[in-house]
Amino acid sequence: MRVRRTLSDLLDDAAERSPTREVVFPTERATWPAVREAARSWAAGLHARGVRRGDRVLIVLPGGLDAVVGTVAAAMLGAVPTPVNHRGTADEVAWLRDDADPTVVVASPSSSGSPAGAP
C-alpha cells in the first residue's frame, strides 16, 4: 500500500532528521527547523486572512526562502499555492490574479503583483 505524504510531512521529516542542515539560496539560508517554524507562522497568518482548504494563494515573490515558505504555508492549510513570475508586467500579473481568483495575494512591495487591488 502506498502512503501519501504531504509537503508539510516532508518538511517535518527534514527538520527532525537534519536539524542543523540548511536550505541555501544565493542571498539567504535557514535550517530546516527554521523553515518549518516560518511556514507555520505564515500559515497562521494566511488562515487569519481567511485562507482555507481549497483556496488559492497567489505567490508573487522572487525565488528564495520566502517563496518556499509561502508555498509550504499554503499547502499546510490545504490551500493551493499558485506561484507567479515576479518579473511579470503588472498587466500579466493582474491577468493571472484575475484568472486564479485567489483568496490572498502574497507579494513583495517591489513585485508587479503588489497587493493593491488584490482580493
Side-chain angles (χ1 to χ4, degrees):
M1 184 169 127
R2 189 172 177 184
V3 176
R4 292 187 178 197
R5 306 206 15 107
T6 66
L7 189 53
S8 182
D9 292 336
L10 296 173
L11 180 56
D12 286 340
D13 289 349
E16 296 304 318
R17 263 195 327 259
S18 306
T20 61
R21 303 247 357 222
E22 293 182 317
V23 179
V24 179
F25 293 93
T27 60
E28 46 194 346
R29 60 190 330 136
T31 63
W32 284 113
V35 172
R36 178 177 56 189
E37 291 313 308
R40 287 176 177 168
S41 177
W42 280 48
L46 291 171
H47 190 267
R49 287 165 180 79
V51 176
R52 301 295 183 266
R53 179 174 297 284
D55 289 345
R56 284 169 299 287
V57 176
L58 200 74
I59 300 171
V60 191
L61 296 170
L65 192 56
D66 283 346
V68 170
V69 168
T71 298
V72 174
M76 283 177 162
L77 296 173
V80 180
T82 309
V84 171
N85 183 353
H86 75 285
R87 291 187 182 115
T89 66
D91 286 343
E92 290 168 336
V93 174
W95 186 91
L96 291 164
R97 182 190 63 221
D98 291 345
D99 187 58
D101 190 27
T103 301
V104 170
V105 175
V106 178
S108 65
S110 62
S111 70
S112 299
S114 63

